[in-house]
Structures are given as structure tokens and as C-alpha cells.
Amino acid sequence: MNITMLAKKGGVGKTTLGLLLHEAFRNAGKSVAIRDWDAQGTSSKALKTFGGTAAEVDQVYDVLLYDTPPNLEHTATSYAVQQADIIVVLTSPSPADLWEADETARFASDKNPHAAIRLVFNRVRKGTRLARLIPKSAEDISAPALEPYISYRECYQAALGRGWQALDGPAREEVLQVTVALLSLGK
């Protein structure tokens, strides 16, 4: 199964969610790797820190995650979208991010109409006005939203440097719920 993490802009959490999913799949006994095409190379750096796997060209994995550049016109982005079984369009509940998410979802649908495309709300602060508006905001996006949402948690950032053990119980549960939801799309 190929999963592409996609966003037109940077800073919405593609790399962080990709790494969390990598760890969740790895802990579930799946062979998993990340193909890091973001110029910052954050996925590759983090994988070295906690012993994960960067994708090798001829290797086959149960799950291959693509970390794409924040640019819909980049060749690597187009390739990753075309190879995807599942495309995760990341956004925050911020209106500025949502505008870009709809354009990104449309791009993904045009490039790969056979992929399951899901909007994932990231950095959600529960109980806030923006969080309460998520169901209405999701109606304006051309891809269905995946539930659960990813909460704003500092431990997710800590996981970049320390891996799965940096997550508290509720964070692990949240990531596992997203992982199961994605796996159900790949069947």
C-alpha cells in the first residue's frame, strides 16, 4: 500500500504525520518505509534518530509512505500522487490552510482518480471555535475528512527526535485510530 502525504504549503504536518504513521505501522508488524522527497529531508533525519527505514529503490514494503514537497508543481509530488493508493491531504482548521487543502484535493483527484483521497485535520485544539467549525469546513473541501482528527500535542513534535516512546497514551491511541482508518481504505 502506498500512502502519499500531500499539502500545497509547508507547515501543516505532512512529515510529522508520516513519521507517526511509520512508527504505528512498524509497531503493528508491517514492513514500512518513507520516501522523503521534501527538500528539508526531515523524514530522513528523524528516521536515522529512531531507527526507522528510508525507502530503498528496489525494496518492496507492506506500506510505503511518500513525504512530498510543499509544491503541487514539483515532479516528485506528481509521481507520489500517481503511485498512491491513499492520498492524505493535510490541513489545519485555519481558513488559510483550508483554501489550499481544497486545491490540493482537486489536484490529487485529477492526477489519480483511483486513489482514496482523505482530508486529515491536524493540530486541532479541541473545544476551540475552529475545532467546532471542522464539520462545516470539511463540507467545502472536495475530499471527505478522515476521523479522528489529529490533536495539537507537543509530544508529536518530540516524536521526531525520540520516536514512538515520546508519545503519551492518548497520543498513541489517536495515531493508531488514524492508522486503522487508513488501513480500512486500502482494502
Side-chain angles (χ1 to χ4, degrees):
M1 175 183 347
N2 293 340
I3 302 174
T4 296
M5 312 306 290
L6 188 64
K8 180 180 177 183
K9 63 186 290 294
V12 294
K14 291 185 320 288
T15 298
T16 302
L17 182 59
L19 288 160
L20 292 168
L21 291 173
H22 176 278
E23 288 298 281
F25 285 121
R26 192 166 76 151
N27 279 291
K30 303 279 186 192
S31 65
V32 60
I34 296 179
R35 184 152 291 142
D36 185 0
W37 282 335
D38 193 336
Q40 293 179 29
T42 306
S43 288
S44 297
K45 292 170 189 168
L47 288 170
K48 288 178 187 173
T49 300
F50 57 82
T53 307
E56 296 179 25
V57 176
D58 294 329
Q59 183 71 33
V60 176
Y61 303 95
D62 295 329
V63 180
L64 179 59
L65 299 158
Y66 289 90
D67 186 7
T68 61
N71 178 342
L72 300 182
E73 297 170 8
H74 197 286
T75 303
T77 302
S78 291
Y79 180 81
V81 167
Q82 291 167 352
Q83 297 304 306
D85 301 303
I86 300 169
I87 300 169
V88 174
V89 176
L90 256 75
T91 188
S92 80
S94 163
D97 289 347
L98 287 166
W99 297 328
E100 302 305 331
D102 186 54
E103 185 178 341
T104 302
R106 290 177 192 281
F107 168 85
S109 180
D110 289 346
K111 290 282 184 188
N112 186 346
H114 303 293
I117 303 168
R118 293 297 183 272
L119 183 67
V120 172
F121 283 92
N122 190 28
R123 298 186 182 141
V124 174
R125 294 180 189 262
K126 294 180 179 167
T128 65
R129 176 178 294 165
L130 287 177
R132 288 190 299 274
L133 291 174
I134 286 176
K136 177 67 177 140
S137 298
E139 292 175 6
D140 297 331
I141 308 297
S142 55
L146 187 75
E147 289 189 47
Y149 311 133
I150 304 295
S151 300
Y152 179 83
R153 298 176 188 274
E154 286 187 23
C155 65
Y156 289 149
Q157 295 301 312
L160 291 177
R162 295 186 38 230
W164 193 250
Q165 66 271 10
L167 302 181
D168 59 24
R172 286 183 186 173
E173 181 62 30
E174 190 171 74
V175 173
L176 290 173
Q177 288 175 3
V178 170
T179 304
V180 168
L182 290 173
L183 279 173
S184 71
L185 296 173
K187 293 183 179 184

